[in-house]
Amino acid sequence: MDVTSSLRSLLPYGRRSIGISQLVAKLEGYLASAKVLGVPVFFVSVSGSELSRSEHISRLRALSVKAADCGVVLSMETHPPFCQNAEGMLQTVAE
């Protein structure tokens, strides 16, 4: 598997490894649905060691912009490496 073009993600259909373009398309669709339904918060499980931390942060930042465009706030599950506790969450948000 080419780790630069894949991302491990927790999707509503179960844990799978999919290409980043597929992931972005699915998440954009989910965010658009959340907007239509008036859902203000979208829960995501963020994990991964395939890419560098800065690459993961860059993708989270891009996803958060898409969420904001839909009027949706992303809520991250509390587990490593991005949100294991309050200190980790604050570091992730600051990045």
Side-chain angles (χ1 to χ4, degrees):
M1 174 182 355
D2 178 2
V3 295
T4 60
S5 65
S6 67
L7 179 65
R8 201 160 190 123
S9 172
L10 187 63
L11 297 173
Y13 305 108
R15 191 173 186 90
R16 14 178 137 161
S17 184
I18 63 175
I20 188 64
S21 59
Q22 288 177 297
L23 175 64
V24 169
K26 283 185 179 288
L27 290 175
E28 285 177 348
Y30 297 151
L31 291 170
S33 295
K35 179 180 181 177
V36 169
L37 295 170
V39 175
V41 179
F42 190 86
F43 180 81
V44 293
S45 179
V46 182
S47 64
S49 59
E50 303 91 359
L51 305 172
S52 70
R53 181 174 177 91
S54 64
E55 288 172 298
H56 281 291
I57 294 296
S58 175
R59 290 178 180 179
L60 278 172
R61 189 177 299 114
L63 181 59
S64 69
V65 169
K66 291 181 186 313
D69 289 346
C70 290
V72 176
V73 173
L74 294 180
S75 172
M76 294 192 299
E77 183 176 10
T78 53
H79 64 74
F82 303 101
C83 268
Q84 70 188 32
N85 55 31
E87 183 179 330
M89 171 67 80
L90 291 172
Q91 178 183 347
T92 297
V93 170
E95 290 178 70

